[in-house]
Amino acid sequence: MKKYILTGTLAALLTLGGLSVPALAGPEDVVVENAWSRASIGMNRPGAAYMTIRNTGDEPVTLIGLTTPLAMMPEIHETKTNAEGVSSMSPAGEIVIAPGESIALEPGGLHAMLMRLQEPMTEGDTFPLTLLFDDGGEVTVEVPILGIAARGPED
């Protein structure tokens, strides 16, 4: 009799425990579109990458970082302009993308800043950029390097 009671109790605890596990959006819920970057002048100045990141899942996803072999310090930065018209950039921190929503990494706003380049960004080349999410998920996109005067992925 004790054996059945303990088994029933254990089953009830496991069932309740399973119900309390938070739902996590995985990398399969993240779609990256229109990735592009501009060629650099040497390696002394940072590069940048742009794209649209869309959450197709039912739960929010939180972008917490980037990694690429092209740069030792890749970060999401945000450009802000004050009342005097002076622009500045700073790290954006974590970015939450709601279900069904997207964020644009674009010139003049949020963008992937590629600091401490390991090689020049050469027009016609590509590089891998991995997006890191708070649930441990990763999404890697191959980013094409366009001309130095490019204004978007269609250039």
Side-chain angles (χ1 to χ4, degrees):
M1 184 65 157
K2 277 188 174 181
K3 186 174 188 178
Y4 294 112
I5 293 171
L6 290 176
T7 304
T9 303
L10 181 59
L13 286 173
L14 289 174
T15 300
L16 289 175
L19 293 176
S20 66
V21 174
L24 299 176
E28 67 277 0
D29 296 323
V30 175
V31 176
V32 178
E33 301 169 318
N34 300 319
W36 66 283
S37 62
R38 291 186 185 109
S40 66
I41 300 173
M43 297 177 0
N44 293 333
R45 306 252 328 159
Y50 312 101
M51 65 201 72
T52 299
I53 305 167
R54 193 163 35 100
N55 177 3
T56 63
D58 297 330
E59 298 292 327
V61 295
T62 303
L63 178 63
I64 60 168
L66 306 168
T67 185
T68 179
L70 181 65
M72 291 181 70
M73 289 182 56
E75 295 179 347
I76 300 287
H77 277 202
E78 184 173 17
T79 302
K80 294 182 180 178
T81 304
N82 67 16
E84 289 80 37
V86 177
S87 294
S88 63
M89 286 183 276
S90 60
E94 296 183 351
I95 299 171
V96 178
I97 308 170
E101 297 295 321
S102 63
I103 61 157
L105 303 186
E106 57 193 5
L110 290 171
H111 57 279
M113 181 65 89
L114 308 173
M115 299 173 288
R116 298 180 59 194
L117 292 175
Q118 297 302 290
E119 60 186 74
M121 296 175 69
T122 305
E123 183 176 353
D125 286 352
T126 64
F127 64 93
L129 181 67
T130 301
L131 311 178
L132 307 173
F133 295 90
D134 68 342
D135 64 358
E138 299 180 353
V139 174
T140 300
V141 61
E142 214 41 50
V143 180
I145 302 173
L146 306 181
I148 199 161
R151 294 180 176 267
E154 64 283 343
D155 288 350

